[in-house]
């Protein structure tokens, strides 16, 4: 013991100073006399470096604590106004959410969405319908029937600007980009020869799907209200928790709705809003008065708006039926009979574009809507517009001798959600017996087809969470084939063609073994085949679905078998070259002891003494910890034992350790491959077979290509239609200095700069990059005549 003390004192606790320099501290406290008990050579006055280091850290901690807790320095050294403003700008950034990861295997939101959808389809469709309850609560106000569904406060204006958007509430950057454009007092657009100024719409129509992936307080507040409130702030008296009981709650000083001159908003629900039975929609839309700076007078999920110059907007609620209910149908039929004149023009707004989806799925839906349009409006429906498909497409009727019930069909779901393709709908050309031609598509058919290539190149980068499921599926497919013991014939010195032939022959033998002897892998393959067949859209025949499913699963199974054999060949090669399985499970520890003895000699036998004092815990702990982290060695040694004695020679714990070790490496190597195979499958399906349009583009989570449509009812009664688009959505935002420097007014719509954030790069700001992608004019109805209708007049 004395020798050990002398070694410690002379080598590890060499003195760095004298205790006489610190008279307030005794030699006993300084540790010198306590550790050495008088046996240390030299003066017992000397200070140990251990104590010096300890005292230094304690002193620094105390100093740091005092500085953090003390406010005296901050009070005596305040920031200047300029420094404070710069600090505020650096720290303030919008708290936008990313695009929804639709292929995440770990997202609780997606599991909740699937559960809500199951419950909605099971419970609400055909059993309980919120629209039925709304109909039972209709009442007359001041003698006016259906006063809480019909709104006519715009009808006396000389002209009217209004906007349409749909499918917002996904990524914060994309949703705010559209909201920022909608909020501007005007948008200046440069054309080829001149420029146009389009004023802000007095009315904003939103065509459903307000938040993704499911309706909840969190998604509505963070994905819908936050971007719109940043774009156009609510009034100063607005409170988040306020519930509007008696709508419309017009601002103080106004007695009726028509006196309010600020922008207003009317919304219909989409299929995502119906996942919880419309509960969240009713709470946040029908029972609140403000969406940012847009005033919301509506009380029900469907409505009718009487606009100037004999124009009408019917906002229909299709729920999950893709059709209106009988009570809603009755309301609009009575409205058409009592108030819609023979020369009036009607715009019908729905969430789903039935004309495109019915053509795509070879289905017939929305029979009540068709009955309303064909048998009651009788040619007065000038425009049908919808969202749900996250792109822009417009089809216009062509001259024919058949009656035209709808002149224009418009889809614009580019309000903030991921992009949908356009090229899969390029062949649509008929509705209600009339012929139509494509007037515009955004993105173009060529760009849409090119974007689909991203499934091969970007699927894994966009959907890295998919690895968690993909790697597990691949491991289950080859679980029963581990280990492959007889691989010598592949490693023999044959020509490359011989290696290749032996490799694929071994892979075929492994596949046959799975069919004949495996339980786990065969069950996994059968379940995957069933899922792949169900995954194929029902648009195709059953035979084609089975063929596509088999080819899809075959590609995954072949990739999994190739990866399994490559992993086994790698382990076999390392064993043959004595890189693994040379010293049992403790090769890493043996290497550590060799390096330790060469570079860290122990002439005093200190390590042996420590082993004796700890009763063998040192180095046993190091030994077994190293074996636990030496996964390749564990895998190789266990594999050798299985190949010699059989898998039954392993204990349950040993088998669990082996397959866990194999899984770690196999999962790591398989995740890029499963993403590549699945992404290639989606690309082939979307571009060659024109199926999986939703799955193939939701995987890309494209925030770009955003647009909305601005309408103008001019003094002549014609409807001008402008579709404005932004090709690239900014990803970085900064506090807008114009907004920050402007004196706030009572209502944000009166401000010249209403939006809080502008793009970090001015050249990428939506106000600088917005452009017109479609422009046409719908002339007012003069005298409807279905038998002689020659199509719309467009410019």
């Amino acid at each position: 013991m004395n020798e050990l003390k002398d070694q410690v004192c002379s080598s590890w606790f060499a003195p760095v100073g004298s205790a006489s320099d610190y008279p307030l501290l005794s030699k006993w406290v300084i540790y010198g006399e306590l550790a050495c008990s008088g046996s240390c050579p030299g003066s017992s006055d000397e200070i140990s470096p251990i104590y010096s280091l300890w005292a230094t850290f304690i002193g620094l901690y105390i100093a740091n604590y005092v500085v953090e807790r003390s406010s005296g320095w901050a009070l005596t050294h305040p920031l200047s106004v300029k420094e404070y403003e710069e600090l505020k700008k650096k720290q303030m950034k919008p708290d936008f959410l990313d695009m929804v990861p639709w292929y995440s295997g770990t997202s609780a939101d997606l599991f909740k969405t699937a559960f809500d959808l199951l419950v909605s389809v099971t419970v609400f469709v055909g059993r309980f319908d919120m629209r039925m309850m709304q109909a039972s609560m209709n009442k007359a106000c001041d003698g006016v029937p259906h006063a809480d569904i019909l709104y006519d406060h715009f009808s006396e204006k000389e002209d009217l600007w209004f906007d349409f958007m749909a499918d917002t509430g996904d990524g914060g950057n994309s949703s705010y980009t559209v909201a920022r454009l909608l909020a501007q007092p005007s948008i200046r657009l440069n054309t080829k020869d001149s420029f146009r100024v389009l004023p802000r719409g007095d009315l904003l129509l939103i065509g459903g799907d307000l938040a993704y992936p499911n309706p909840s307080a969190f998604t509505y507040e963070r994905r819908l209200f936050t971007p719109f409130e940043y774009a156009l702030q609510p009034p100063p008296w607005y409170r988040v928790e306020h519930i509007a009981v008696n709508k419309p709650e017009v601002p103080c000083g106004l007695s009726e709705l028509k006196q309010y001159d600020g922008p207003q908003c009317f919304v219909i629900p989409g299929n995502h809003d119906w996942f919880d039975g419309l509960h969240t929609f009713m709470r946040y839309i029908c029972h609140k008065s403000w969406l940012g700076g847009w005033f919301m007078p509506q009380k029900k999920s469907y409505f009718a708006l009487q606009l100037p110059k004999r124009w009408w907007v019917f906002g229909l609620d299709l729920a999950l039926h893709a059709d209106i209910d009988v009570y809603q149908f009755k309301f609009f039929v009575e409205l058409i009979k009592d108030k819609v004149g023979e020369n009036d023009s009607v715009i019908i707004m729905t969430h789903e574009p039935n004309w495109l989806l019915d053509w795509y799925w070879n289905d017939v839906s929305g029979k009540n809507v068709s009955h309303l349009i064909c048998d009651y409006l009788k040619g007065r429906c000038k425009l049908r517009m919808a969202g749900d498909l996250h792109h822009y497409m417009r089809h216009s009727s062509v001259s024919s001798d058949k009656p035209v019930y709808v002149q224009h069909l418009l889809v614009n779901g580019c309000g903030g959600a991921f992009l949908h393709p356009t090229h899969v709908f390029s062949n649509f050309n008929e509705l209600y017996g009339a012929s139509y031609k494509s007037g515009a598509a955004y993105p173009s058919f060529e760009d849409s087809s090119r974007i689909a290539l991203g499934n091969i190149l970007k699927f894994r980068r966009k959907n890295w969470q998919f690895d968690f499921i993909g790697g597990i599926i691949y491991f289950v497919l080859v679980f029963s084939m581990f280990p492959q013991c007889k691989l010598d014939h592949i490693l023999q010195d044959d020509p490359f063609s011989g290696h290749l032939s032996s490799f694929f022959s071994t892979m075929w033998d492994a596949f046959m073994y799975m069919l004949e002897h495996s339980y786990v892998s065969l069950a996994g393959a059968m379940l995957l085949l069933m899922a792949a067949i169900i995954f194929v859209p029902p648009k195709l025949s059953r035979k084609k679905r089975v063929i596509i499913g088999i080819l899809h699963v075959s590609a995954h199974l072949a990739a999994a078998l190739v990866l399994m054999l490559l992993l086994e060949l790698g382990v076999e090669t390392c064993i043959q070259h004595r890189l693994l399985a040379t010293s049992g499970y403790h090769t890493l520890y043996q290497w550590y002891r060799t390096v330790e003895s060469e570079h860290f000699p122990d002439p005093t036998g200190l390590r042996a003494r420590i082993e004796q004092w700890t009763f063998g815990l040192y180095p046993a702990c190091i030994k077994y910890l190293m074996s636990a982290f030496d996964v390749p060695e564990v895998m190789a040694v266990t594999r050798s034992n299985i190949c010699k004695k059989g898998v039954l020679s392993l204990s349950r714990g040993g088998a669990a350790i082996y397959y866990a070790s194999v899984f770690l490496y196999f999962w790591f190597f398989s995740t890029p491959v499963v993403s590549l195979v699945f992404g290639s499958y989606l690309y082939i399906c979307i571009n060659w077979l024109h199926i999986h349009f939703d799955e193939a583009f939701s995987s890309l989570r494209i925030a770009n290509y955003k647009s909305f449509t601005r309408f103008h009812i001019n003094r002549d009664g014609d409807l001008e239609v402008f579709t404005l688009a932004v090709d690239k959505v900014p990803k970085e935002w900064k506090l807008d200095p114009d907004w920050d420097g402007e004196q706030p007014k009572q209502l944000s719509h009166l401000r010249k700069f209403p939006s809080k954030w502008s793009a970090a790069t001015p050249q990428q700001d939506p106000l600088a990059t917005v452009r017109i992608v479609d422009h046409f004019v719908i002339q007012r109805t003069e005298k409807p005549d279905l038998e002689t209708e020659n199509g719309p007049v467009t410019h």
Side-chain angles (χ1 to χ4, degrees), residues 592-603:
Y592 161 74
R593 292 300 297 267
T594 302
V595 174
E596 184 185 46
S597 61
E598 291 179 359
H599 299 282
F600 301 95
D602 184 21

Side-chain angles (χ1 to χ4, degrees), residues 52 67 122 126 199 238 272 290 292 351 367 452 476 488 521 567 587 658-659 697 706 763:
S52 299
V67 170
T122 304
Y238 169 76
H272 283 264
W290 296 92
H351 170 62
K367 295 182 179 180
V476 171
D488 294 340
S521 296
L567 179 60
T587 301
Y658 169 70
Y659 284 109
F697 270 66
K706 292 296 161 276
Q763 294 78 9

